[in-house]
Amino acid sequence: MLDKLKELGSSIGLNPADWSEQDIEEQKLGWYPGHPTPDDPLRWGRTFPEGARETLQNTQMRRNLGYATGKIRTKRNTRVEELPDWEELREAGSLIKRNTLAHLPELLETFEQKVTERGGIVHWARDAAEANEIAYSIIAAKGVDEVVKVKSMATQEINLNSYLEERGIEAWETDLAEMIVQLSHDMPSHIVVPAIHRNRSEVKAIFEARMEGRPRFATNEPRELAMAARAHLRKKFLSAKVAISGANLGVAETGTLAVYESEGNGRMCLTLPETLITVMGIEKIVPSYRDIEVFSQLLPRSATGERMNPYTSFWTGVTEGDGPQEFHLILLDNGRTNVMKDEVGREALKCIRCAACMNICPVYRVSGGHAYNSVYPGPIGAILTPQLLNATDRKDPATSLPFASTLCGACYDVCPVKINIPEILVHLRHTITEANRGGLPNAWDVAMKGTSSVMSSGKKMERAGNAMKAGRLAAGRDRKIGHIPLPVAKEWTGTRDVPAPPATSFRTWWNDEHEETK
Amino acid sequence: MNAKQEILNRIRAAGQIPAHDTARDYLCGTEASRSDIIADMVAALEDYTAIVTIVPPAGVGDAIDEMLSEAATVVVPPGLDESWRDAAGRHGRAVRIDDPPLSKADLDATDAVVTASRVGVSLSGTIILDGQPDQGRRAISLVPDTHVIVLDADDIKATVPEAVAIVEEHPLRPTTWIAGPSATSDIELVRVDGVHGPRNLRVIIVDQTLDR
Ligand code: SF4
């Protein structure tokens, strides 16, 4: 039976050797091992097709993901429909961010000045290494060996936790999902719900194995698990001397920073420790305080489908007697100025990291965040990652990302700041294709071909389905070989031509097919 | 070249990026009646599992007393209305005034907190605190398990822009927006209240037009 299974697996381009290893690992752990921390969180060194080939095998993950993204989408739609002026808000959000880019040097200088006037200390970091160094030197000067952290994409992007760990400083993620990811030595697979690929049983297994004191749980109820996290982190909050956060926006006019969150872990980190270090991408600036009214409506509804997230904190420098008395702000470039150079592609810098585009993307929803081999997955990752890295060479796996899309246009429709992601995808495909004219096909082309052969032929799709059945029988569980349920092969593998965006028919088809997830 | 100069140079080298006027065609106010705004606020807060009551000015003390019924210890900001502070101390509840500031451990050992508030938004059930003496520093409304907020009905605005116009008068104050108790949905998107911040949010809306 196993031989038969391996044969079937090989026939659809899977590598049986890989999954048997993972299977052993998973049996040992009690959860799917996920993805270990890479050296460069922006580029894990694999192409999208290679990443997808691995994640597509994980049926459990796909089930978790399908359920969760479906639920967020429904909530998001309800909350957006409540607002009669949603389109006007999107337009304002888009224009505010464009203006930010148009005036970025002046806005950054004003912002720095305002933060400084209020007792904050501003640092500038050209790249990840420089940002990490600055953060480390501040922490080292405090003589502490642990810090608490608010979930932040900027610090994920620069791999700050690993950098600190190598220097003997433990950085505790305090967002529940980030904590699950951290404890399981995994990478986040979504930018708002990083542990979206985990179900409650996996979380229970992770906590029992890795949480301090190795707790035992009577059930796998989310409440019981969340309360264990509360007890575990409360001690950290009360004792931590230094906290690290990102920022959802920074107001140039006043020097004010904002963090939007739900759990209160953000407020704990931003308020209780004596020193706060905030790492913020230079594009996160908005010009005026009033702009808060736009993003405070767009972000929560797009991100978690809530009218408002439970907690939002605004602070400006330091306030005597309230909150940290030492505040450091690290302004991060790390490739953002590369993105600015591209007239079409720079629109990606408007992104407010709400993840709505991920939740709706048919490719993300079956392949999962890890397939993108970057901390920025989904449609926004597909356009942002290669641009941050200035990747155009076909040998660079990041150049496979703009091809990981059906161009159905759904991401553009949901984006609260109106980033025309399909247009940028097509533009980047064109740029990459042009930059690689001529020469021999490399591993990437071959990998694309492999995926293409699975997904372009009905017969092979059927065989993939059969392999899944065989997998159930052989392994006694159903998560090893995934069927590939998407008619997207042509676009995924359109490596040579620049396809025109199709009409809306795909999306209509998708909605009809997936009524049950609504 | 230092990092700042280099980053600014890189941005400038990226070329001129066209600016646009920001169109603000979204709703800034509404025609809704005062009673509708209050009703919307209550509905939005209750949707977030907050407990809400509407009382006349003379009823605030009793409402505070009732909202604190399970608490044995209460922290209050130094500028809280004296009659409210007294109500917090009924039935032998220990009242701790945050002046001088309580230690983190003391806050952690306190059951509840009572604060005033700056402004509310009925559209999203949000209440904004801006750290004035009747609201206190951010930590006191964060660490105890139950947060009782007193909100004047006249301070409830319908829309976010109306509320931002008010907090914008003092943009440098540390400001906290609260919509419901602390909550997580990180495990299978099941909402669990009270992960790190207060587990219970209780709101007393003071309506000046109500008679006792
Ligand atoms: S691209 Fe748009 S939809 Fe996607 S995360 Fe960014 S802001 Fe949200």
Side-chain angles (χ1 to χ4, degrees), chain A residues 191 351-357 380 415-417 419 421:
Chain A
I191 63 175
C351 177
I352 57 172
R353 311 278 190 262
C354 73
C357 57
I380 182 62
C415 178
V417 286
I419 300 173
I421 298 175

Side-chain angles (χ1 to χ4, degrees), chain A residues 470-482:
Chain A
R472 283 206 185 101
L473 288 173
R477 41 203 311 179
D478 59 1
R479 62 174 68 170
K480 280 300 155 263
I481 304 176

Side-chain angles (χ1 to χ4, degrees), chain A residues 67-68 71-72 79 83-85 88-89 92 95-96 98-99 101-105 108-109 112 118 124-126 130 174-177 199-200 222-223 225-227 230 233-234 237-238 240 254 256 262-265 267-268 271-272 288-291 293-294 296-297 306-316 319 321-323 333 337 340-341 346, chain B residues 1-8 10-28 43-44 47-48 104-105 108 123-124 126 131 136-139 141-145 160-161 164-165 167-168 170-199:
Chain A
Y67 169 76
K71 202 165 158 183
I72 307 180
R79 290 302 172 227
L83 291 189
D85 56 341
E88 287 79 9
L89 284 166
L95 291 175
I96 290 168
R98 272 194 199 152
N99 279 333
L101 295 181
H103 302 292
L104 195 53
L108 283 167
E109 289 200 281
E112 177 185 37
R118 284 279 292 185
W124 300 69
R126 280 165 277 219
E130 195 166 19
T174 63
D175 169 80
L176 180 56
N199 63 23
R200 59 183 78 187
R223 161 151 290 275
L225 300 169
M227 287 308 126
R230 176 186 168 105
L233 286 172
R234 195 42 81 131
F237 290 134
L238 296 177
T254 56
T256 306
S262 283
E263 296 175 6
N265 68 306
R267 291 182 67 195
M268 294 273 179
T271 312
L272 299 183
S288 66
Y289 195 89
R290 190 181 171 191
D291 298 330
E293 72 196 23
V294 175
S296 294
Q297 297 192 75
E306 304 208 59
R307 294 194 183 95
M308 191 66 206
N309 47 295
Y311 295 124
T312 311
S313 299
F314 294 94
W315 75 99
T316 313
T319 303
D322 187 351
D333 178 351
T337 45
M340 287 191 76
K341 284 187 223 152
R346 70 166 70 113
Chain B
M1 200 183 325
N2 70 23
K4 174 182 173 181
Q5 270 321 315
E6 192 167 335
I7 292 170
L8 293 178
R10 287 176 186 173
I11 300 170
R12 294 200 176 97
Q16 273 288 314
I17 299 178
H20 306 259
D21 280 339
T22 298
R24 296 191 193 264
D25 298 332
Y26 49 83
L27 290 180
C28 288
D47 202 27
Y48 287 138
K104 291 178 218 173
D108 192 36
L123 187 82
S124 57
T126 308
R137 62 192 171 111
R138 286 169 285 172
S141 60
L142 170 64
V143 183
D145 240 6
V160 179
V164 169
V167 282
E168 194 182 358
H170 304 282
L172 304 185
R173 290 179 184 169
T175 304
T176 306
W177 296 28
I178 296 171
S182 145
T184 185
S185 303
D186 280 342
I187 303 173
E188 293 187 19
L189 294 188
V190 175
R191 188 178 171 111
V192 177
D193 279 352
V195 208
H196 301 303
R199 275 182 253 227

Side-chain angles (χ1 to χ4, degrees), chain A residues 157-183:
Chain A
E157 178 188 320
I158 61 175
N159 225 354
L160 179 60
N161 292 5
S162 299
Y163 185 93
L164 294 178
E165 197 186 317
E166 283 160 19
R167 284 153 189 80
I169 292 165
E170 248 182 305
W172 295 94
E173 291 291 350
T174 63
D175 169 80
L176 180 56
E178 264 326 323
M179 183 180 147
I180 294 165
V181 167
Q182 189 178 39
L183 289 177

Side-chain angles (χ1 to χ4, degrees), chain A residues 450-473:
Chain A
T451 324
S452 151
S453 84
V454 176
M455 289 187 288
S456 59
S457 138
K459 191 128 194 192
K460 285 183 180 158
M461 290 275 277
E462 203 177 299
R463 273 209 266 153
N466 287 337
M468 185 178 71
K469 279 181 219 147
R472 283 206 185 101
L473 288 173

